[in-house]
Amino acid sequence: MRASRLLSILTTLQARGRVTAPDLAAACEVSLRTIYRDVDALAAAGIPIYSERGAEGGYRLLDGYRVRLNGLSPLEAEALFMAALPGPAADLGLDAAMMAAQTKLMAALPINLRENALRLQARFHLDAPAWFSQAEQPQHLRAIADALLRETLIEIRYQSWKAEKRRRVAPLGLVLKGGTWYLAGCVDGSVRTYRVARVLDCTVLDEAFDRPADFNLATYWQAAARRLEAELYPNRATLRVSPFGVKLLEMLSQPYVKAETHVTEDADTTGWRIAVVPVGKSLQHAAADLLRLGPEAEVLDPPELRQRMAELTQAMARRYQTLITRDNAGS
């Protein structure tokens, strides 16, 4: 365990340059005291590792020192081939480069690791979009990705839900979720999310920007996604649901709704239970979601949603009764 940790510290320092003790402790999942002991052990073994004090301080290796620890374990080699799945790379125009890199990696692997790598390529495939939906093909994705890597501003014409807008954006990151690409970009000092497929025009400007030092794409995306879900489902409805209705809630609900739904353990004599479910901002949105449960659910609260459900189901009944009457008359 300790030998593996020491190697991890060395490769991390070589890859990232200066790294703080808390960051090393988090990466190795050990205490700060353990990291201090490990660094002392490396220094005692002759590794030129030293510390820099201050706000920008941390541990680093002597400039020019290289650690020759480039061998891959079987699991590491397999992980690299799993990470190089073709769909997203093709979207970014990197499919040819990815194939070339895989070929070079395959040639560099020991013979005993090549068989597993080939087996992974043949047995795993990434299909990012959800069922019954297609991946978007954003026209300006590659231009945005290029500006992102070069850290230059872009000027976009964007179609939002409400209107068409023009924005000068500092691109900070791209996220692929459910077959849809999103851009995290800084506008007027605040980071916002843009759906790349709604970018109508994109001009890459010859103007660099300073990337915020404290911006973390994964952290931002998790918070932004959670905030969007909460905004889409800000209200709660109390339902009475049948045993099959409980299963429908599980099958048909969005992940956020499923996570925030609370179903009582106790059932009445007919097996029906009480559920509190997140619903949309408007009555129409909430009713449309709950109509998917059909006769397996009954809205108890709020009263206005219960009334809206009654109006919609009565309108549907009248419409279908009219159609049935017309069909019977025709026959």
Side-chain angles (χ1 to χ4, degrees), residues 284-310:
Q284 191 65 27
H285 183 185
D289 276 347
L290 297 179
L291 279 173
R292 295 182 299 171
L293 303 177
E296 306 302 323
E298 173 190 337
V299 175
L300 302 178
D301 192 68
E304 57 271 21
L305 178 57
R306 182 180 176 92
Q307 177 64 32
R308 184 59 179 154
M309 293 288 288

Side-chain angles (χ1 to χ4, degrees), residues 16-147:
R16 295 170 54 184
R18 185 186 297 108
V19 186
T20 66
D23 285 345
L24 287 173
C28 296
E29 299 182 343
V30 295
S31 67
L32 276 174
R33 182 175 297 179
T34 300
I35 291 297
Y36 295 147
R37 286 200 299 263
D38 287 346
V39 169
D40 288 342
L42 289 170
I47 303 297
I49 182 173
Y50 64 95
S51 63
E52 295 179 342
R53 300 184 181 279
E56 300 296 326
Y59 292 115
R60 61 177 302 161
L61 296 172
L62 185 69
D63 289 343
Y65 181 82
R66 304 294 294 173
V67 186
R68 297 188 177 278
L69 298 171
N70 300 321
L72 295 175
S73 70
L75 284 178
E76 289 169 341
E78 292 171 8
L80 284 176
F81 278 92
M82 282 294 290
L85 293 168
D91 290 345
L92 295 169
L94 299 174
D95 45 340
M98 185 198 70
M99 291 178 63
Q102 282 187 331
T103 301
K104 291 178 181 178
L105 176 60
M106 186 71 73
L109 286 176
I111 294 177
N112 64 313
L113 298 185
R114 293 180 190 174
E115 183 179 349
N116 277 352
L118 290 170
R119 187 180 295 114
L120 280 170
Q121 286 182 309
R123 288 163 171 75
F124 290 90
H125 173 70
L126 174 65
D127 185 11
W131 282 104
F132 313 115
S133 62
Q134 293 183 336
E136 295 179 340
Q137 301 294 327
Q139 181 180 356
H140 302 287
L141 176 62
R142 296 183 185 182
I144 293 172
D146 180 60

Side-chain angles (χ1 to χ4, degrees), residues 4-330:
S4 175
R5 191 170 66 246
L6 293 176
L7 293 179
S8 177
I9 291 173
L10 285 174
T11 53
T12 300
L13 290 172
Q14 180 169 304
R16 295 170 54 184
R18 185 186 297 108
V19 186
T20 66
D23 285 345
L24 287 173
C28 296
E29 299 182 343
V30 295
S31 67
L32 276 174
R33 182 175 297 179
T34 300
I35 291 297
Y36 295 147
R37 286 200 299 263
D38 287 346
V39 169
D40 288 342
L42 289 170
I47 303 297
I49 182 173
Y50 64 95
S51 63
E52 295 179 342
R53 300 184 181 279
E56 300 296 326
Y59 292 115
R60 61 177 302 161
L61 296 172
L62 185 69
D63 289 343
Y65 181 82
R66 304 294 294 173
V67 186
R68 297 188 177 278
L69 298 171
N70 300 321
L72 295 175
S73 70
L75 284 178
E76 289 169 341
E78 292 171 8
L80 284 176
F81 278 92
M82 282 294 290
L85 293 168
D91 290 345
L92 295 169
L94 299 174
D95 45 340
M98 185 198 70
M99 291 178 63
Q102 282 187 331
T103 301
K104 291 178 181 178
L105 176 60
M106 186 71 73
L109 286 176
I111 294 177
N112 64 313
L113 298 185
R114 293 180 190 174
E115 183 179 349
N116 277 352
L118 290 170
R119 187 180 295 114
L120 280 170
Q121 286 182 309
R123 288 163 171 75
F124 290 90
H125 173 70
L126 174 65
D127 185 11
W131 282 104
F132 313 115
S133 62
Q134 293 183 336
E136 295 179 340
Q137 301 294 327
Q139 181 180 356
H140 302 287
L141 176 62
R142 296 183 185 182
I144 293 172
D146 180 60
L148 172 67
L149 294 175
R150 290 168 47 201
E151 295 189 352
T152 57
L153 294 172
I154 58 175
E155 187 171 81
I156 63 173
R157 183 164 60 92
Y158 185 76
Q159 182 64 58
S160 70
W161 289 103
K162 297 179 180 179
E164 186 178 298
K165 303 174 181 178
R166 286 194 173 274
R167 292 284 186 268
R168 281 169 62 91
V169 182
L172 301 179
L174 284 166
V175 175
L176 177 63
K177 182 177 177 63
T180 300
W181 284 96
Y182 295 91
L183 167 67
C186 189
V187 178
D188 299 329
S190 65
V191 183
R192 307 176 188 178
T193 303
Y194 297 92
R195 189 167 175 167
V196 179
R198 293 198 181 127
V199 175
L200 306 178
D201 287 317
C202 176
T203 302
V204 179
L205 306 178
D206 190 18
E207 183 178 344
F209 67 90
D210 293 326
R211 182 181 177 85
D214 59 348
F215 178 77
N216 181 284
L217 180 59
T219 301
Y220 165 78
W221 179 256
Q222 290 174 358
R226 189 71 178 179
R227 185 169 59 251
L228 175 61
E229 290 170 335
E231 289 174 356
L232 289 176
Y233 297 94
N235 301 317
R236 295 292 184 271
T238 302
L239 314 178
R240 181 172 172 266
V241 289
S242 69
F244 184 54
V246 174
K247 295 180 180 179
L248 287 178
L249 276 174
E250 177 72 19
M251 290 188 298
L252 301 179
S253 296
Q254 297 288 343
Y256 173 82
V257 174
K258 189 185 302 184
E260 296 294 323
T261 292
H262 301 284
V263 182
T264 59
E265 294 294 333
D266 298 331
D268 62 21
T269 55
T270 60
W272 285 54
R273 296 153 71 185
I274 302 299
V276 179
V277 182
V279 292
K281 291 182 179 180
S282 67
L283 287 177
Q284 191 65 27
H285 183 185
D289 276 347
L290 297 179
L291 279 173
R292 295 182 299 171
L293 303 177
E296 306 302 323
E298 173 190 337
V299 175
L300 302 178
D301 192 68
E304 57 271 21
L305 178 57
R306 182 180 176 92
Q307 177 64 32
R308 184 59 179 154
M309 293 288 288
E311 292 169 354
L312 289 173
T313 52
Q314 288 168 9
M316 291 173 64
R318 287 194 298 270
R319 176 164 300 181
Y320 280 101
Q321 187 58 52
T322 300
L323 291 173
I324 291 171
T325 300
R326 185 187 306 164
D327 292 343
N328 291 337

